Short mmCIF file of all heavy atoms in Angstrom, two decimals:
data_model
loop_
_atom_site.label_atom_id
_atom_site.label_comp_id
_atom_site.label_asym_id
_atom_site.label_seq_id
_atom_site.Cartn_x
_atom_site.Cartn_y
_atom_site.Cartn_z
N LEU I 264 38.44 -113.58 137.87
CA LEU I 264 37.78 -113.30 136.51
C LEU I 264 38.91 -112.45 135.66
O LEU I 264 38.96 -112.90 134.37
CB LEU I 264 36.61 -112.30 136.72
CG LEU I 264 35.45 -112.95 137.47
CD1 LEU I 264 34.35 -111.92 137.59
CD2 LEU I 264 34.98 -114.24 136.62
N VAL I 269 42.96 -112.70 131.04
CA VAL I 269 44.19 -112.33 130.30
C VAL I 269 44.88 -113.69 129.97
O VAL I 269 45.56 -113.66 128.89
CB VAL I 269 45.10 -111.57 131.35
CG1 VAL I 269 44.67 -110.18 131.60
CG2 VAL I 269 45.42 -112.34 132.63
N TRP I 276 48.52 -115.62 126.69
CA TRP I 276 48.85 -116.99 126.69
C TRP I 276 48.08 -117.72 125.54
O TRP I 276 48.61 -118.62 124.88
CB TRP I 276 48.64 -117.57 128.12
CG TRP I 276 49.07 -119.04 128.26
CD1 TRP I 276 49.33 -119.91 127.27
CD2 TRP I 276 49.29 -119.78 129.42
NE1 TRP I 276 49.80 -121.23 127.77
CE2 TRP I 276 49.73 -121.04 129.14
CE3 TRP I 276 49.12 -119.38 130.72
CZ2 TRP I 276 49.99 -121.96 130.19
CZ3 TRP I 276 49.50 -120.27 131.71
CH2 TRP I 276 49.88 -121.61 131.38
N GLY I 346 49.55 -128.61 152.40
CA GLY I 346 50.27 -129.89 152.08
C GLY I 346 49.34 -130.76 151.20
O GLY I 346 49.79 -131.56 150.40
N HIS I 347 48.07 -130.73 151.30
CA HIS I 347 47.16 -131.49 150.47
C HIS I 347 47.27 -130.95 149.04
O HIS I 347 47.19 -131.84 148.15
CB HIS I 347 45.67 -131.37 150.94
CG HIS I 347 45.36 -132.00 152.31
ND1 HIS I 347 46.35 -132.81 152.82
CD2 HIS I 347 44.22 -131.98 152.98
CE1 HIS I 347 45.82 -133.28 153.98
NE2 HIS I 347 44.58 -132.77 154.12
N VAL I 362 52.88 -122.82 141.11
CA VAL I 362 51.95 -122.50 142.21
C VAL I 362 52.13 -121.08 142.52
O VAL I 362 53.22 -120.62 142.79
CB VAL I 362 52.27 -123.33 143.51
CG1 VAL I 362 51.27 -123.04 144.58
CG2 VAL I 362 52.13 -124.79 143.07
N ILE I 363 51.00 -120.31 142.49
CA ILE I 363 50.92 -118.90 142.74
C ILE I 363 50.00 -118.78 143.99
O ILE I 363 48.81 -119.05 143.90
CB ILE I 363 50.59 -118.00 141.69
CG1 ILE I 363 51.47 -118.37 140.38
CG2 ILE I 363 50.58 -116.56 142.03
CD1 ILE I 363 50.98 -117.65 139.20
N ASN I 441 61.01 -111.01 139.49
CA ASN I 441 61.90 -109.81 139.94
C ASN I 441 61.28 -108.58 139.62
O ASN I 441 61.40 -107.63 140.36
CB ASN I 441 63.11 -110.02 138.99
CG ASN I 441 64.11 -111.14 139.47
OD1 ASN I 441 64.10 -111.51 140.64
ND2 ASN I 441 64.72 -111.78 138.49
N ASP I 459 62.38 -122.16 143.65
CA ASP I 459 62.29 -123.06 142.44
C ASP I 459 63.66 -123.90 142.53
O ASP I 459 64.46 -123.80 143.50
CB ASP I 459 62.45 -122.17 141.23
CG ASP I 459 63.63 -121.23 141.11
OD1 ASP I 459 64.23 -120.99 142.19
OD2 ASP I 459 63.94 -120.72 140.03
N GLN I 475 58.55 -105.08 121.05
CA GLN I 475 58.64 -104.40 119.87
C GLN I 475 59.69 -105.13 118.95
O GLN I 475 60.85 -104.83 119.21
CB GLN I 475 58.76 -102.87 119.93
CG GLN I 475 57.71 -102.22 120.63
CD GLN I 475 56.45 -102.18 119.95
OE1 GLN I 475 56.49 -102.23 118.61
NE2 GLN I 475 55.33 -101.97 120.47
N GLU I 522 32.27 -121.82 119.83
CA GLU I 522 31.99 -122.31 121.12
C GLU I 522 32.72 -121.57 122.13
O GLU I 522 32.29 -121.42 123.22
CB GLU I 522 32.33 -123.90 121.05
CG GLU I 522 31.97 -124.52 122.42
CD GLU I 522 32.22 -126.05 122.43
OE1 GLU I 522 32.21 -126.65 121.23
OE2 GLU I 522 32.47 -126.70 123.46
N ARG I 594 23.67 -114.96 116.90
CA ARG I 594 25.08 -115.29 116.66
C ARG I 594 25.37 -116.77 117.02
O ARG I 594 26.20 -117.36 116.39
CB ARG I 594 25.86 -114.39 117.46
CG ARG I 594 27.43 -114.77 117.45
CD ARG I 594 28.03 -114.48 116.02
NE ARG I 594 29.52 -114.82 116.04
CZ ARG I 594 29.96 -115.40 115.03
NH1 ARG I 594 29.22 -115.89 114.03
NH2 ARG I 594 31.22 -115.72 115.01
N ARG I 694 20.27 -116.07 95.60
CA ARG I 694 18.82 -116.20 95.81
C ARG I 694 18.71 -117.45 96.80
O ARG I 694 18.02 -118.53 96.47
CB ARG I 694 18.05 -116.57 94.48
CG ARG I 694 18.11 -115.54 93.53
CD ARG I 694 17.22 -115.78 92.34
NE ARG I 694 17.30 -117.16 91.83
CZ ARG I 694 18.15 -117.44 90.86
NH1 ARG I 694 18.93 -116.59 90.23
NH2 ARG I 694 18.33 -118.70 90.34
N GLN I 701 17.50 -126.95 106.53
CA GLN I 701 17.17 -127.78 107.62
C GLN I 701 18.33 -127.85 108.52
O GLN I 701 19.18 -128.79 108.33
CB GLN I 701 16.78 -129.23 107.04
CG GLN I 701 15.77 -129.18 106.00
CD GLN I 701 14.53 -128.79 106.61
OE1 GLN I 701 14.21 -129.05 107.71
NE2 GLN I 701 13.58 -128.03 105.89
#
Side-chain angles (χ1 to χ4, degrees):
L264 296 175
V269 296
W276 188 342
H347 291 352
V362 179
I363 303 173
N441 290 329
D459 62 340
Q475 295 292 336
E522 184 173 337
R594 174 68 181 137
R694 302 191 308 272
Q701 305 295 325

